[in-house]
Amino acid sequence: MTLNTEQLQPDVETQGMTVTARTQRQLVIRRFFRHKGALFGLVLFTFVFVLAFSSIGFGPIPGWWDKSWTGTGTLVDRGRPTLSLLPEFLGGTGVHLGEHPFGQDNLGKDYFALTMRGTQISIIVALAIGLISTIVGTVIGALAGYFRGRAEAVLMRFTDVMITIPVLVIGAVVGQMAGNLGPYFLALMLGLITWTSVGRLVRGQFLSLREKEFVEAARAVGTPATRIIFKHILPNTLGVIIVSATLAISSGILLETALSFLGFGVKPPDTSLGLLIETYRSAMVTRPWLFWWPGIFIVVIALSVNFIGDGLRDAFDPRQNRVRD
């Protein structure tokens, strides 16, 4: 009896399933955009980012909002918000922004413009902290994980010392020294002290990957260490690095908010969301909108970045190695 080998092969189409070959990049992108939480976070963060930078403008680029965050005016109706979101058929006054949608502060400044400026600075500081801490942590973790020996001992002991000191304490010291030099220098200094978690994660990845066969083969043929690190090992750790970067951004905005609230972060005449909360915390009972608007934007930014990070973590999960149509 002769068996037909074609009969032994499963007919995929008859099972109602089609498997399409895709590259790793395509799989990551596909899994990310199938993650509802990540999509929600991405849309929400994009909306806040575009709103903040397009409304009052940035630098020499003008915005569509007709009021400046530095301009004062006459206090109208004790500075109450004019924003209305309740339609008339539901008993409201209709959906409209009004003259001052977020209200006014004690000096008559438009609080929408102030909040947008604070959002700009907080986003810039958070992104800078995430980028700088990721770069520093990746470099230190890669060197410690690949070269081992004395380099690993020195770098990891330094990392352990940095971890034992609370970040808020270090940030307060750094913020006190760098806060008067502007938010950008503050972001640089904070990024240089918040890299420890990224460094430890990258070191662990390098310790595992440096023992793999493809690394041993590259080392056996005389490939330089720098090429092995950047061409062979680092691309395989991008998933961990990208996810860590999103978490660093989320932690960065909370750190900046805490420092500004304590008076160690962004200093006047500029402003940030944390500084706005600290400035108007005494008005929480009499005029709560001065406290709640910055708080809402802090929560929205932090949550949206965390959702994006969760989506990226699932997208880079190597266990999800096939996507079905």
Side-chain angles (χ1 to χ4, degrees), residues 75-83 100-116 273 276-298:
L75 201 62
V76 180
D77 192 22
R78 296 183 60 249
R80 294 181 182 276
T82 59
L83 176 66
H100 302 285
F102 288 6
Q104 294 173 281
D105 70 352
N106 300 332
L107 300 177
K109 293 182 179 180
D110 181 66
Y111 207 59
F112 174 79
L114 268 175
T115 304
M116 292 301 100
L273 295 176
L276 288 176
I277 290 179
E278 192 278 332
T279 303
Y280 300 107
R281 59 178 175 175
S282 60
M284 185 175 179
V285 177
T286 57
R287 290 186 294 170
W289 57 87
L290 297 178
F291 182 87
W292 285 113
W293 283 119
I296 290 173
F297 275 84
I298 291 172

Side-chain angles (χ1 to χ4, degrees), residues 144-164:
Y146 182 80
F147 290 106
R148 302 294 300 271
R150 183 175 299 178
E152 181 186 22
V154 173
L155 292 174
M156 286 299 101
R157 296 301 75 76
F158 176 66
T159 303
D160 293 338
V161 171
M162 293 290 292
I163 292 176
T164 57

Side-chain angles (χ1 to χ4, degrees), residues 55-85:
S55 57
I56 62 173
F58 185 76
I61 304 176
W64 50 264
W65 189 243
D66 60 348
K67 298 176 181 61
S68 170
W69 66 276
T70 58
T72 60
T74 304
L75 201 62
V76 180
D77 192 22
R78 296 183 60 249
R80 294 181 182 276
T82 59
L83 176 66
S84 176
L85 299 177

Side-chain angles (χ1 to χ4, degrees), residues 19-54:
V19 179
T20 305
R22 294 184 176 88
T23 64
Q24 182 64 25
R25 179 186 301 178
Q26 291 173 329
L27 290 173
V28 170
I29 294 175
R30 188 175 180 86
R31 286 197 291 262
F32 177 80
F33 283 101
R34 284 189 170 187
H35 195 289
K36 295 181 180 179
L39 278 181
F40 175 75
L42 182 62
V43 171
L44 193 60
F45 181 80
T46 302
F47 171 77
V48 173
F49 185 91
V50 173
L51 177 65
F53 284 88
S54 68

Side-chain angles (χ1 to χ4, degrees), residues 112-310:
F112 174 79
L114 268 175
T115 304
M116 292 301 100
R117 176 60 180 178
T119 303
Q120 288 181 359
I121 297 300
S122 294
I123 289 178
I124 291 174
V125 171
L127 291 176
I129 291 174
L131 178 63
I132 295 170
S133 64
T134 300
I135 293 175
V136 175
T138 299
V139 171
I140 293 179
L143 293 177
Y146 182 80
F147 290 106
R148 302 294 300 271
R150 183 175 299 178
E152 181 186 22
V154 173
L155 292 174
M156 286 299 101
R157 296 301 75 76
F158 176 66
T159 303
D160 293 338
V161 171
M162 293 290 292
I163 292 176
T164 57
I165 305 175
V167 175
L168 194 59
V169 174
I170 305 178
V173 175
V174 171
Q176 183 66 25
M177 297 185 298
N180 293 324
L181 299 177
Y184 306 110
F185 187 75
L186 175 66
L188 172 63
M189 298 303 296
L190 292 179
L192 292 176
I193 65 172
T194 55
W195 52 266
T196 53
S197 60
V198 180
R200 290 172 67 91
L201 287 173
V202 173
R203 170 183 170 269
Q205 291 292 311
F206 267 71
L207 287 175
S208 174
L209 292 172
R210 74 186 300 272
E211 306 299 334
K212 298 295 184 180
E213 290 81 1
F214 65 92
V215 176
E216 293 290 346
R219 192 182 295 117
V221 297
T223 305
T226 54
R227 184 174 180 83
I228 294 176
I229 292 174
F230 289 103
K231 295 294 184 180
H232 296 279
I233 301 181
L234 193 60
N236 289 284
T237 63
L238 283 180
V240 173
I241 294 173
I242 292 175
V243 173
S244 300
T246 59
L247 298 177
I249 292 172
S250 178
S251 301
I253 192 171
L254 297 178
L255 176 60
E256 182 277 324
T257 299
L259 292 177
S260 297
F261 182 79
L262 296 173
F264 299 117
V266 178
K267 303 291 178 65
D270 217 327
T271 189
S272 70
L273 295 176
L275 184 58
L276 288 176
I277 290 179
E278 192 278 332
T279 303
Y280 300 107
R281 59 178 175 175
S282 60
M284 185 175 179
V285 177
T286 57
R287 290 186 294 170
W289 57 87
L290 297 178
F291 182 87
W292 285 113
W293 283 119
I296 290 173
F297 275 84
I298 291 172
V299 173
V300 167
I301 295 172
L303 283 180
S304 62
V305 173
N306 278 333
F307 286 151
I308 295 173
D310 288 340

Side-chain angles (χ1 to χ4, degrees), residues 82-97:
T82 59
L83 176 66
S84 176
L85 299 177
L86 192 62
E88 295 181 359
F89 66 88
L90 293 178
T93 59
V95 179
H96 58 82
L97 292 177

